């Protein structure tokens, strides 16, 4: 075995598993590092909140014209499934791409750390064990082809300087593993690594992008890799792609109500229309919750969300800083630094990291032009203050600095561009800004802050001259008061009606909804169905109502497009209408309705899909099975199994197999059943004491004498087993039942599914998870159960679950409580 392949990675894996940055994902799966937690969060984030972010496959362009098979998966399941042959994860800014890689890093490091013995034989370096499809088990990319667990490595491309090997080496070194490039190459050829390559869109220039492509192609046959990128970042040549899905209505509610248990309902009432779109990515939803918690309001657009968030954070810091002279200049410095970092070696490039020394020079030059005294000293001191108070952060290597998220850098650059806008000529604005993809997000953020209507419309007009899609998007980013005129610029375009409808949808403006509703009755069928799709992209309440009505449109293409659009919106209020659409006379409409129910995925939709397995139409049965397989939690397995005995067994088997593949076990009831009670070793001394106690109890004529002896030998608790004391004196049945009820209700507050769901299996699973997750409550439940017995538990359950559709077995809950 070569030296590299025999490397002991235990110290490296332990370093990752104990690193607070990654370890936190086991409790809180939402990216909250937009600003430093220690400064911004006065309270701890809710533990155990897992949004179960979802992805779906992106079919190749040649298949999009057909009814493609789109697979929906929980994000980590999708990453593991397709990593072996290389995978590209695509998503909006703040949608959770980097977070997913960090969680996968931590989980895979935990698995590898627990695998104590290394592979018995040398791993091949000639490609024998690293061929596509041979490097993992069940297509997951987690094993190295010889039985050993792959070593996960996070490769953050924003840190690129000279090579990918350099980034890998730095990350390994940071976590207590020193390898030279030759040793790293040997491990790559041997298939020992799982590379989690984050931020294709953050590479600094074309030279770096070319080098990363060459690196990927060189090791493609041997090492699984997962890349992430933004939607507009271009293609890296990876065929298999997954797209991050926006948060569903149910996920948004879960997050908000858990994060703000007292004010969450009021916040959800304000998340309507365009504001709802802001909450569809985890990062922005977290920012909205933080803002609402501190101010009680939500700004009306994304630009103002960032501005108010930055101001709120700034004000909290200033409460702790009483004499720092730099604090009044922070906003000015951050704007200028972010703006300068948007310019890379060429006009198309940008930088998301910058050497600290270069940042000092940039600020020195800026302050000198602003006539500040001692500009170099100020630049040095004030930059350190920005780092000290976490307005920017050092990179892992500590040699460079960066903003906490690329969106924050783009926001500050937008603020700088906002000041310069009146001074920019039309030609300069088009040539130097609108024409480059890297400026799209800053321009969108800037337009939300422009107070001058003429200036806002000017930017939209120029954008339409540069690119129609760009102009359509920016038309919907201006302040709401200006959108009637900006959307009208799109309406007046002399282009094909289908394209015009597409662009109206891209505006995501409420001002476009009325126009699109009218287009639903256009004489051209393709235009009509395109209008339904466009309404789905906007997704506000008016568009939603129009789509519900469109399910009854005389044109079947419109009905089908409306069903698909409702699925993308994900509003559970569409479930009843979509269930009716399962009986549509047209097969594609039924197909679309079943798929839409699968995308909505709440308990009501799941129940409808299970019932659809018995539908009279085969296409509905087949699509319902596919949808259940994509979205079902494992607790559905007992409900699907009976269908194996009907004439729909193949459809049921399709759903069951898909769920089993994802959860990694076959039988839900066996998996959730309590472990058999372990036989405790006998202790002769304890047995003798218990025998003496029982003998004395038999001889005793008064309870008082019994208690006095009991107290002397055992204390006031009960029998002794091992080093535990059991069989405490029984308290009143009513008191025990009340205590159990209170504890179960406390669990329900942590997970609203327990009392809101009509699905018995879902409720049972939720209770089980909460009991496992709360050892303190579990211990108190166990004591109360011992005191009051099974009857007390039954009384408590009857008091909580009054819904006749949910009948919770006493023995099931008792098993959860008493499980080791």
């Amino acid at each position: 075995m070569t030296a590299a392949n025999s490397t002991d990675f235990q110290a490296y894996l332990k370093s990752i598993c104990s690193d607070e940055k990654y370890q936190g994902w086991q409790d809180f799966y939402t990216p909250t590092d937009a600003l430093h937690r220690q400064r911004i969060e006065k309270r701890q984030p809710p533990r155990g909140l897992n949004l179960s972010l979802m992805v779906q496959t992106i079919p190749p362009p040649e298949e999009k014209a057909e009814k493609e098979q789109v697979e929906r998966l929980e994000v980590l399941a999708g990453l593991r499934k397709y990593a072996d042959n290389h995978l590209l994860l695509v998503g909006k800014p703040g949608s959770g791409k980097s977070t997913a890689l960090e969680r996968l890093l931590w989980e895979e490091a935990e698995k590898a750390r627990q695998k104590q013995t290394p592979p018995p034989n040398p791993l091949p370096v000639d490609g024998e064990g690293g061929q596509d499809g041979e490097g993992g088990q069940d297509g997951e990319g987690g094993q190295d082809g010889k039985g050993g667990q792959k070593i996960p490595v996070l490769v953050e491309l924003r840190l690129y300087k000279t090579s990918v090997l350099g980034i890998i080496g730095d990350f390994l070194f940071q976590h207590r593993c020193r390898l030279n490039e030759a040793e790293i190459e040997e491990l790559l050829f041997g298939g020992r690594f799982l590379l989690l390559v984050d931020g294709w869109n953050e590479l600094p220039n074309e030279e770096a992008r070319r080098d990363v492509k060459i690196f990927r192609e060189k090791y493609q046959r041997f090492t699984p890799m997962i890349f992430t990128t933004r939607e507009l970042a271009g293609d890296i040549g990876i065929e298999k792609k997954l797209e991050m899905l926006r948060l569903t209505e149910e996920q948004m509610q879960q997050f908000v109500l858990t994060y703000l248990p007292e004010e969450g309902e009021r916040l959800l009432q304000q998340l309507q229309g365009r504001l709802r779109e802001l909450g569809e990515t985890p990062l922005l939803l977290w920012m909205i919750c933080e803002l609402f918690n501190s101010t009680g309001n939500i700004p009306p657009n994304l630009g103002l969300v960032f501005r108010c968030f930055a101001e709120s954070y700034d004000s909290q810091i200033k409460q702790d800083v009483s004499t720092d002279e730099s604090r009044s200049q922070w906003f000015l410095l951050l704007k200028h630094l972010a703006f300068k970092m948007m310019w890379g070696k060429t006009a198309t490039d940008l930088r998301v990291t910058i050497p600290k020394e270069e940042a000092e020079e940039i600020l020195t030059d800026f302050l000198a032009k602003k006539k500040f005294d001692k500009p170099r000293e100020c630049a040095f001191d004030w930059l350190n203050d920005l780092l000290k108070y976490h307005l920017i952060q050092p990179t892992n290597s500590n040699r460079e600095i960066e903003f906490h998220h690329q969106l924050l850098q783009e926001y500050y650059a937008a603020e700088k561009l906002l000041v310069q806008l009146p001074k920019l000529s039309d030609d300069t604005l088009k040539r130097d800004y609108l024409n480059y993809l890297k400026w799209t997000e800053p321009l969108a953020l800037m337009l939300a802050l422009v107070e001058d209507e003429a200036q806002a419309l000017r930017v939209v007009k120029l954008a339409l001259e540069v690119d129609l899609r760009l102009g359509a998007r920016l038309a919907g980013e201006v302040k709401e008061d200006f959108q009637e005129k900006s959307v009208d610029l799109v309406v007046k375009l002399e282009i094909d009606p289908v394209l015009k409808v597409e662009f109206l949808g891209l505006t995501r403006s409420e001002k476009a909804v009325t126009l699109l509703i009218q287009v639903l009755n256009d004489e051209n069928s393709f235009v009509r169905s395109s209008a339904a799709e466009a309404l789905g992209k906007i997704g506000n309440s008016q568009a939603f109502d129009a789509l519900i009505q469109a399910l009854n449109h005389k044109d079947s293409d419109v009905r089908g497009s409306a069903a698909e659009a409702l699925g993308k919106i994900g509003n559970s209020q569409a479930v009843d209408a979509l269930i009716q659409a399962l009986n549509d006379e047209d097969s594609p409409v039924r197909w679309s309705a079943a798929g839409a129910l699968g995308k909505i995925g709440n308990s009501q939709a799941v129940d409808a899909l299970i019932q659809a397995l018995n539908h009279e139409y085969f296409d509905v049965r087949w699509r319902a099975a596919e949808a259940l397989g994509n979205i079902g939690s494992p607790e559905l397995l007992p409900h699907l199994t009976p269908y194996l005995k009907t004439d729909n067994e193949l459809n049921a088997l399709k759903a069951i197999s898909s769920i089993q593949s994802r959860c990694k076990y076959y039988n839900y009831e066996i998996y959730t059943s309590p472990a058999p009670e372990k036989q405790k070793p006998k202790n002769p001394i304890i047995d003798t004491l218990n025998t003496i106690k029982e003998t004395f109890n038999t001889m005793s004529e008064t309870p008082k004498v019994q208690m006095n002896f009991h107290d002397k030998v055992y204390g006031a608790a009960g029998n002794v087993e091992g080093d535990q004391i059991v069989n405490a004196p029984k308290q009143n049945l009513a008191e025990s039942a009340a205590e159990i009820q209170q504890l179960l209700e406390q669990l329900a507050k942590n997970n609203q599914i327990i009392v809101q769901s009509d699905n018995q299996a879902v409720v049972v699973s939720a209770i089980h998870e909460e009991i496992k997750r709360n050892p303190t409550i579990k211990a108190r439940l166990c004591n109360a159960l011992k005191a009051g017995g099974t009857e007390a538990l039954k009384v408590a359950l009857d008091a909580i679950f009054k819904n006749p559709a949910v009948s919770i077995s006493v023995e099931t809950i008792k098993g959860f409580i008493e499980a080791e």
Side-chain angles (χ1 to χ4, degrees), residues 259-277:
Y259 203 84
L260 300 174
E262 296 180 358
E263 294 293 327
E265 288 289 355
R266 195 159 66 89
L267 169 57
L268 288 170
Q269 291 173 5
Q270 295 188 32
L271 278 178
Q272 302 297 328
R274 191 64 184 273
L275 281 176
R276 185 184 182 281
E277 181 189 338

Side-chain angles (χ1 to χ4, degrees), residues 331-622:
F331 185 57
L332 193 68
L333 298 176
L334 289 169
K335 288 195 300 182
H336 186 72
L337 186 60
F339 188 80
K340 283 293 185 180
M341 289 173 66
M342 292 298 297
W343 299 98
K345 290 184 178 179
T346 69
T348 59
D349 299 328
L350 80 158
R351 295 182 292 177
V352 293
T353 66
I354 187 173
K356 185 181 178 184
E357 293 78 10
E358 184 178 351
E360 291 171 0
E361 292 298 325
I362 289 173
L363 295 182
T364 296
D365 182 64
F366 173 67
L367 294 174
K369 291 179 179 177
K370 291 287 184 180
K371 308 299 183 184
F372 278 81
D373 291 334
K374 300 180 179 180
R376 181 167 296 279
E377 290 84 347
C378 288
F380 179 84
D381 292 339
W382 294 352
L383 183 62
N384 283 331
D385 285 341
L386 294 177
L387 288 164
K388 177 181 178 181
Y389 293 105
H390 310 291
L391 291 158
I392 52 178
Q393 65 183 3
T395 63
N396 293 336
S397 65
N398 287 319
R399 296 191 294 267
E400 297 188 313
I401 60 176
E402 63 185 355
F403 286 82
H404 287 270
H405 195 283
Q406 188 176 346
L407 268 175
L408 281 172
Q409 177 181 334
E410 290 166 333
Y411 156 69
Y412 282 109
E415 289 278 15
K416 178 80 171 184
L417 190 58
L418 177 66
V419 176
Q420 295 188 349
L421 181 61
K423 307 171 189 176
L424 298 175
S425 67
D426 289 357
D427 182 64
T428 300
L429 188 56
K430 290 166 64 176
R431 185 188 67 248
D432 294 345
Y433 297 96
L434 288 166
N435 197 39
Y436 295 114
L437 295 180
K438 68 179 182 180
W439 282 106
T440 301
E441 294 298 333
L443 284 163
L445 290 166
M446 179 202 72
L447 277 175
L449 303 172
V450 174
E451 298 289 345
D452 186 325
E453 182 181 59
Q455 284 287 5
L457 295 178
R458 169 192 170 222
V459 174
V460 175
K461 289 176 183 176
L462 294 174
L464 286 168
E465 294 175 14
V466 172
D467 181 79
L468 294 179
R469 288 177 58 87
L470 171 68
R473 183 198 164 172
L474 295 185
E477 299 289 353
V478 303
K479 289 183 63 176
E480 187 176 359
D481 293 346
F482 308 157
Q483 285 189 15
E484 186 171 349
K485 291 184 179 179
S486 65
V487 171
D488 191 53
L489 294 174
V490 179
V491 174
K492 291 179 178 178
L493 291 173
E494 296 182 358
I495 56 176
D496 183 87
V498 175
L499 277 180
K500 186 177 295 187
V501 167
E502 170 74 13
F503 293 149
L504 286 173
L506 285 176
T507 69
R508 294 184 179 269
S509 170
E510 297 184 15
K511 305 300 180 183
V513 174
T514 302
L515 298 170
L516 290 170
I517 292 175
Q518 295 173 0
V519 177
L520 287 175
N521 295 312
D522 191 271
E523 61 182 15
N524 186 310
S525 176
F526 194 45
V527 173
R528 294 195 297 267
S529 58
S530 297
E533 293 177 10
L535 287 169
K537 292 179 180 178
I538 297 173
N540 65 9
S541 57
Q542 186 183 3
F544 177 81
D545 292 341
L547 288 169
I548 293 291
Q549 295 180 17
L551 289 175
N552 296 313
H553 199 279
K554 61 182 179 180
D555 184 347
S556 63
D557 288 339
V558 173
R559 299 198 300 272
S561 296
E564 291 181 3
L566 288 168
K568 291 178 181 177
I569 293 174
N571 192 324
S572 59
Q573 296 179 21
V575 170
D576 289 339
L578 288 169
I579 291 173
Q580 295 179 15
L582 292 176
N583 298 310
D584 194 278
E585 62 184 15
D586 190 79
S587 175
V589 178
R590 300 194 297 267
W591 176 278
S592 298
L597 286 169
K599 290 179 180 179
I600 293 173
N602 67 3
S603 58
Q604 187 182 359
V606 169
D607 291 340
L609 287 168
I610 291 176
Q611 294 173 13
L613 292 177
N614 283 325
H615 202 279
E616 62 177 311
Y617 293 115
F618 170 80
D619 58 340
V620 172
R621 298 195 300 270
W622 192 89

